[in-house]
Amino acid sequence: AQSVTQLDSQVPVFEEAPVELRCNYSSSVSVYLFWYVQYPNQGLQLLLKYLSGSTLVESINGFEAEFNKSQTSFHLRKPSVHISDTAEYFCAVLKAAGNKLTFGGGTRVLVKP
Amino acid sequence: DVKVTQSSRYLVKRTGEKVFLECVQDMDHENMFWYRQDPGLGLRLIYFSYDVKMKEKGDIPEGYSVSREKKERFSLILESASTNQTSMYLCASSSNRGSGYTFGSGTRLTVV
């Protein structure tokens, strides 16, 4: 069975500062990796995903994540955050031969002015 | 864009009531899922379905059942609501492997 660990439950950060959200997974088979964002009182929205190819993937709003197979990690980064990035972020793993996502526990990002 | 619609944003029900949460998707997705989300516990899978009339238990199916009579609709049923089922319920759907899920906006259920 696979598992996903998000090492930080909460990350406070000042506006325009960089942020990194850590995600590690364990799986004995090939996986696809996802980051989702949940704004207050909303459902989850797909932020970015890694399926294959380049290990660095980017979203349209400045986030990026790098797949590191040797360290089984998929950390999310943004070089300069905005107040509007305040949200909860979930890392998720899908077995390449499966159809069920496994989620991490979530990281709550609070951007302060 | 795929759209997943949950029929209610907020619901208040009494203990012992039978509760139906409805979810509809409009992109012909094969797979549909129900999660509950609680502070400190993340998302926990209740049930999922990979085809019409097919269902599988997730991690916490006790106290719940589901129905999928049509491909686009996946209903979650609380047979006899209890206060410990007060939670945010999220529906999701997916198609081919690797596409990830599309989520609805969630239903916040309060059982009093």
Side-chain angles (χ1 to χ4, degrees), chain B residues 95-111:
Chain B
S95 180
N96 55 314
R97 298 180 210 132
S99 64
Y101 292 5
T102 299
F103 281 87
S105 299
T107 296
R108 188 168 292 281
L109 173 68
T110 302
V111 182

Side-chain angles (χ1 to χ4, degrees), chain A:
Chain A
Q2 62 231 26
S3 66
V4 181
T5 302
Q6 292 182 242
L7 295 162
D8 305 296
S9 59
Q10 291 190 62
V11 174
V13 57
F14 286 105
E15 194 173 15
E16 298 183 7
V19 71
E20 179 179 76
L21 309 184
R22 294 177 292 170
C23 172
N24 288 89
Y25 68 94
S26 66
S27 177
S28 57
V29 299
S30 295
V31 295
Y32 302 137
L33 296 153
F34 303 83
W35 276 100
Y36 284 85
V37 59
Q38 185 180 33
Y39 299 105
N41 296 313
Q42 294 186 26
L44 278 70
Q45 301 172 32
L46 180 65
L47 190 59
L48 47 73
K49 61 184 176 184
Y50 170 78
L51 305 182
S52 64
S54 172
T55 57
L56 184 66
V57 290
E58 299 177 352
S59 72
I60 58 172
N61 56 354
F63 282 93
E64 63 180 29
E66 186 159 20
F67 170 53
N68 187 318
K69 188 174 182 180
S70 62
Q71 296 187 6
T72 60
S73 68
F74 191 53
H75 301 332
L76 181 70
R77 302 181 184 93
K78 188 170 185 180
S80 176
V81 295
H82 302 290
I83 296 288
S84 58
D85 293 323
T86 293
E88 189 157 18
Y89 294 80
F90 292 90
C91 182
V93 166
L94 176 69
K95 280 197 294 189
N99 56 11
K100 193 170 64 161
L101 280 175
T102 300
F103 287 90
T107 299
R108 197 173 294 274
V109 173
L110 176 61
V111 181
K112 305 177 186 178

Side-chain angles (χ1 to χ4, degrees), chain B:
Chain B
D1 271 359
V2 178
K3 192 170 180 182
V4 178
T5 304
Q6 294 185 232
S7 53
S8 304
R9 290 298 306 273
Y10 300 93
L11 273 180
V12 180
K13 296 291 181 181
R14 295 193 180 279
T15 302
E17 275 193 79
K18 190 169 185 176
V19 181
F20 292 87
L21 302 184
E22 305 289 344
C23 176
V24 177
Q25 50 96 1
D26 65 0
M27 280 297 288
D28 205 34
H29 280 178
E30 291 81 14
N31 308 311
M32 297 188 75
F33 307 84
W34 274 107
Y35 287 85
R36 64 176 284 176
Q37 184 180 18
D38 301 285
L41 297 176
L43 282 84
R44 293 181 291 169
L45 181 64
I46 305 171
Y47 267 97
F48 67 103
S49 168
Y50 50 85
D51 202 351
V52 176
K53 297 191 186 294
M54 305 298 284
K55 60 185 179 184
E56 286 197 24
K57 293 180 180 179
D59 301 317
I60 51 162
E62 296 78 20
Y64 303 94
S65 62
V66 290
S67 172
R68 193 160 180 209
E69 296 296 317
K70 294 184 178 180
K71 193 173 186 179
E72 66 271 19
R73 185 180 297 270
F74 192 37
S75 303
L76 180 69
I77 303 154
L78 285 67
E79 298 291 342
S80 177
S82 63
T83 54
N84 63 13
Q85 292 178 309
T86 290
S87 186
M88 168 72 96
Y89 289 87
L90 293 168
C91 176
S93 73
S94 72
S95 180
N96 55 314
R97 298 180 210 132
S99 64
Y101 292 5
T102 299
F103 281 87
S105 299
T107 296
R108 188 168 292 281
L109 173 68
T110 302
V111 182
V112 297

